[in-house]
């Protein structure tokens, strides 16, 4: 080290690992490969500062990182090798991108000296070393430092990009030789960046509040942006002060406790009766951090979940691309969810004599909520075999501690979890919503447990999704990660089977698991599979 400067000689991999450790990153999730060995050596040297978890498929590493961020709100990093190694990560990157979930994907590439020569596992038929183009739709940004002296800036910018504005995954693609070549650099600082969100335009928020307070049938839709913006307490305070009913998007479940008197459930095709009744009949809607996707809006069909217009929409979002994208707004306000709600609360307290409670609108929704609960309770009491989903959800509600993290995988079971699971706090429930990647919960529950080691972690998965990434069980045993998987076994990809039956006269192809020669229903012995990996298991038949 030069006595008159702060520079130090470091190789590219050490620069990356040093930056991660100074940002407080506790874990690296990934899988070995020749293109990433230089990085793995740096991780080896830093074992006392950052722990490496080796998975059996790169998709699992990505889902673990995604779930870690969803539970803890802090990003970690993955590492994968060139060629198929990083290609296997694409599904997990897409799932994180669609759900605004952040992790740093460190991908190895072939050496720069071999670009354009057709080396082993190069993605470069049209452009040299071009893995970033493979994942272009699925990351916020991809950085590809071509020399060791470019790594420091690349990793710093990549890390800052993860959580700036709307969170999302970022890629750092590094050629093999750049990991091991040295450069004189100024090491990363240990200070973490703190970003304070700004509220929306105060005049627009004031006018929006006036519209809400004059409404006869107002409702608030809380989307995932409320969770990402840590705005749940502000939402609850605003709702209690104004007396406005609250529903959530399915991806926003937990923004308000489902047992709160002002909470009426999730909207959309997976949602509850009272929630959809509230949004389709509201005269004014305040949507916060909600993207109006097709499942949450019942495919944008007018009158099912929403009728905008005549309902007037106030939309607050941190992403300008979301405002007015699917529905016209009366007020489209760019701003942070928490800061905007806090400012609106201050305004409401100055204009209202006291909290507003009850009224015909609230009473109507409360009756609908009670009818819905009574109907579902009757189904949950059924002794039918095979088990009714409502019966299993009731059993899970009794058995799973309230402080647990529940991860739902993708499949027909997901519908009942959205409808029937009482979600009591932010990130009580996590799932892959926008991209709906099967295998998310089967694998991601490991990341959830590492993010919240003090909380029980339970993955509720279908047999189809479980078979996508069952190797996650081996990783759990190897690293002593104590989690629970509950596998719903209906012998097929039954959400798709139901579409076939409903749309094509009962015709069905390639959705049921069966022995083709005999037509018999087929199901692996999942309990035996788990036992073979060293996981305690039980099979429930009645």
């Amino acid at each position: 080290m030069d006595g008159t400067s702060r520079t130090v000689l470091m190789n590219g991999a050490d620069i990356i690992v040093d930056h991660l450790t100074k940002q407080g990153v506790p874990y690296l999730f990934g899988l070995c490969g020749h293109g990433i060995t230089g990085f793995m050596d740096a991780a080896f040297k830093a074992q006392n500062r950052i722990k490496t978890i080796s998975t059996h498929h790169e998709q699992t590493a990505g889902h673990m990182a995604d779930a870690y961020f969803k539970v803890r709100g802090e990003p970690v990093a993955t590492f994968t090798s060139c060629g198929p190694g990083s290609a296997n990560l694409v599904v997990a990157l897409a799932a994180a991108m669609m759900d605004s979930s952040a992790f740093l994907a460190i991908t190895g590439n072939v050496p720069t000296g071999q670009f354009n020569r057709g080396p082993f596992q190069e993605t470069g038929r049209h452009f040299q070393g071009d893995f970033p183009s493979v994942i272009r739709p699925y990351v916020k940004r991809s950085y590809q430092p071509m020399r060791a002296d470019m790594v420091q800036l690349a990793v710093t910018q990549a890390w800052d990009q993860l959580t700036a504005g709307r969170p999302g995954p970022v890629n750092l693609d590094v050629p093999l030789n750049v990991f091991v070549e040295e450069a004189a650099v100024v090491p990363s600082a240990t200070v973490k960046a703190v970003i304070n969100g700004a509220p929306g335009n105060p005049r627009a928020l004031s006018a929006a509040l006036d519209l809400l307070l004059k409404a006869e049938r107002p409702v608030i839709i809380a989307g995932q942006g409320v969770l990402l913006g840590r705005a749940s307490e502000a939402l609850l305070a605003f709702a209690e002060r104004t007396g406005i009913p609250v529903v959530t998007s399915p991806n926003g479940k937990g923004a308000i406790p489902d047992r709160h008197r002002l909470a009426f459930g999730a909207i959309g095709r997976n949602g509850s009766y009272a929630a959809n009744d509230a949004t389709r009949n509201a005269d004014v809607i305040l949507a916060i951090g909600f993207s109006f996707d097709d499942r949450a809006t019942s495919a944008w069909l007018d009158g099912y979940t929403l009728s905008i217009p005549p309902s007037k929409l106030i939309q607050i979002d941190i992403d300008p691309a979301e405002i007015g994208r699917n529905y016209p707004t009366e007020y489209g306000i760019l701003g942070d969810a928490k800061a905007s709600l806090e400012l609106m609360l201050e305004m409401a307290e100055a204009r209202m004599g006291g909290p507003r409670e009850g009224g015909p609108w609230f009473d109507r929704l409360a009756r609908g909520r009670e009818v819905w609960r009574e109907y579902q309770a009757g189904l949950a009491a059924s002794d039918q075999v095979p088990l009714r989903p409502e019966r299993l959800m009731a059993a899970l509600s009794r058995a799973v501690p309230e402080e647990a993290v529940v991860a739902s995988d993708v499949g027909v079971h997901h519908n009942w979890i959205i409808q029937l699971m009482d979600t009591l706090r932010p990130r009580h429930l996590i799932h892959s919503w926008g991209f709906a990647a099967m295998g998310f919960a089967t694998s991601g529950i490991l990341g959830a447990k590492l993010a919240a080691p003090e909380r029980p972690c339970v993955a509720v998965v279908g047999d189809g999704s479980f078979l996508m990434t069952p190797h996650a069980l081996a990783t759990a045993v190897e690293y002593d990660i104590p989690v629970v998987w509950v596998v719903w076994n209906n012998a097929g990809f039954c959400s798709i089977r139901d579409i076939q039956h409903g749309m094509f006269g009962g015709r069905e192809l390639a959705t049921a698991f069966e022995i083709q020669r005999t037509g018999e229903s087929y199901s692996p012995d999942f309990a035996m599979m788990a036992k073979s990996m060293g996981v305690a298991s039980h099979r429930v038949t009645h």
Side-chain angles (χ1 to χ4, degrees):
M1 186 168 182
D2 187 330
T4 60
S5 70
R6 296 186 296 124
T7 61
V8 64
L9 200 63
M10 301 174 70
N11 69 32
D14 287 334
I15 293 169
I16 297 169
V17 171
D18 179 69
H19 187 84
L20 296 179
T21 58
K22 287 178 177 175
Q23 297 301 319
V25 178
Y27 293 106
L28 300 168
F29 304 142
L31 189 58
C32 65
H34 77 278
I36 200 76
T37 50
F39 177 82
M40 294 168 64
D41 185 63
F44 176 87
K45 291 181 288 185
Q47 287 181 88
N48 62 331
R49 293 181 289 157
I50 190 168
K51 184 172 182 178
T52 298
I53 305 288
S54 173
T55 62
H56 293 278
H57 193 284
E58 293 83 358
Q59 183 181 346
T60 288
H63 288 327
M64 288 174 64
D66 181 358
Y68 187 98
F69 182 82
K70 284 176 174 171
V71 171
R72 200 173 183 91
E74 299 172 0
V76 291
T78 62
F79 62 93
T80 54
S81 189
C82 51
S86 293
N88 280 341
L89 186 68
V90 174
V91 167
L93 280 171
M97 185 68 174
M98 292 289 283
D99 284 350
S100 302
S101 186
F103 68 89
L104 181 64
I106 302 165
T107 56
N109 210 320
V110 300
T112 56
Q114 294 182 3
F115 278 13
N116 291 321
R117 302 189 72 179
F120 181 56
Q121 295 185 336
E122 181 191 19
T123 307
R125 183 62 59 87
H126 301 289
F127 301 96
Q128 60 185 23
D130 197 30
F131 180 73
S133 286
V134 175
I135 56 173
R136 191 181 302 275
Y138 302 132
V139 293
K140 290 179 71 175
R141 177 77 188 268
S142 187
Y143 295 85
Q144 192 182 54
M146 305 298 283
R147 304 187 309 270
D149 61 359
M150 299 170 65
V151 172
Q152 182 71 70
L153 180 62
V155 69
T156 300
Q157 292 182 342
W159 186 260
D160 291 345
Q161 183 75 236
L162 288 170
T163 52
R166 185 172 183 165
V170 175
N171 172 231
L172 183 62
D173 187 70
V174 184
L176 186 153
N177 59 300
V178 176
F179 280 130
V180 296
E181 291 173 356
E182 294 182 329
V185 298
V186 178
S188 296
T190 56
V191 179
K192 296 184 185 179
V194 178
I195 301 174
N196 294 313
N201 182 289
R203 288 187 180 180
L205 290 173
S206 178
L209 178 62
D210 283 340
L211 187 64
L212 274 171
L213 295 180
K214 291 175 184 176
E216 294 181 359
R217 301 182 307 280
V219 69
I220 298 170
I221 304 176
Q224 188 191 203
V226 173
L227 304 177
L228 291 168
R230 302 175 187 263
S232 294
E233 290 184 10
L235 169 68
L236 193 58
F238 179 76
E240 289 177 341
R241 181 70 184 190
T242 59
I244 299 176
V246 180
V247 301
T248 72
S249 70
N251 214 17
K253 275 179 72 71
I256 184 172
D258 276 334
R259 295 173 189 169
H260 192 280
R261 65 182 182 84
L262 289 173
F264 290 90
I267 59 171
R269 76 174 202 198
N270 306 69
S272 69
Y273 171 79
N276 285 300
D277 185 46
T279 51
R280 71 170 166 260
N281 291 294
D283 54 357
V284 178
I285 296 170
L286 170 60
I288 309 168
F290 173 42
S291 62
F292 292 92
D293 65 273
D294 62 323
R295 287 196 290 168
T297 62
S298 299
W300 306 291
L301 294 171
D302 186 56
Y304 279 70
T305 293
L306 296 162
S307 294
I308 303 173
S311 299
K312 295 180 179 179
L313 174 62
I314 302 162
Q315 187 177 6
I316 300 174
D317 207 286
I318 200 170
D319 184 353
E322 292 294 350
I323 295 176
R325 181 165 72 166
N326 285 307
Y327 290 98
T329 62
E330 195 78 9
Y331 295 100
I333 303 171
L334 183 67
D336 175 78
K338 181 181 178 182
S340 297
L341 283 166
E342 288 175 342
L343 182 54
M344 291 179 76
L345 176 60
E346 289 179 18
M347 295 175 179
E349 289 173 339
R351 296 177 198 182
M352 298 174 63
R356 186 168 65 182
E357 296 185 7
W361 175 236
F362 175 84
D363 293 342
R364 167 183 169 166
L365 299 181
R367 285 194 299 272
R369 180 172 59 191
E370 193 57 36
V371 168
W372 170 263
R373 288 176 176 173
E374 289 175 2
Y375 173 74
Q376 297 295 341
L379 297 173
S382 170
D383 287 330
Q384 174 182 320
V385 176
L387 297 175
R388 282 203 64 90
E390 298 87 355
R391 172 76 181 267
L392 182 50
M393 285 304 304
L396 284 170
S397 296
R398 290 193 301 269
V400 176
E402 289 188 357
E403 73 273 17
V405 175
V406 177
S408 174
D409 223 314
V410 176
V412 70
H413 65 282
H414 196 192
N415 297 294
W416 285 284
I417 290 175
I418 296 298
Q419 288 184 349
L420 302 177
M421 178 181 160
D422 279 346
T423 310
L424 306 180
R425 65 181 177 279
R427 301 313 191 186
H428 184 181
L429 170 68
I430 62 172
H431 44 190
S432 177
W433 182 253
F435 203 66
M438 297 180 73
F440 164 79
T442 305
S443 295
I445 196 65
L446 305 183
K449 182 63 178 180
L450 295 174
E454 74 288 353
R455 292 165 64 182
C457 291
V458 180
V460 183
V461 306
D463 52 331
S465 55
F466 183 77
L467 284 171
M468 294 281 179
T469 61
H471 40 75
L473 275 66
T475 302
V477 173
E478 289 169 329
Y479 290 92
D480 193 21
I481 305 173
V483 298
V484 176
W485 292 268
V486 179
V487 182
W488 291 33
N489 186 356
N490 53 10
F493 299 119
C494 292
S495 59
I496 309 306
R497 179 203 62 189
D498 292 348
I499 293 173
Q500 289 182 327
H501 280 226
M503 293 185 67
F504 303 106
R507 295 189 295 275
E508 175 186 328
L509 178 68
T511 52
F513 300 160
E514 59 186 21
I515 306 297
Q516 293 299 303
R517 179 173 49 82
T518 64
E520 295 176 85
S521 178
Y522 168 76
S523 179
D525 188 332
F526 294 110
M528 188 66 73
M529 179 190 298
K531 287 189 175 84
S532 75
M533 297 188 193
V535 176
S537 59
H538 306 275
R539 186 172 184 178
V540 178
T541 57
H542 62 279

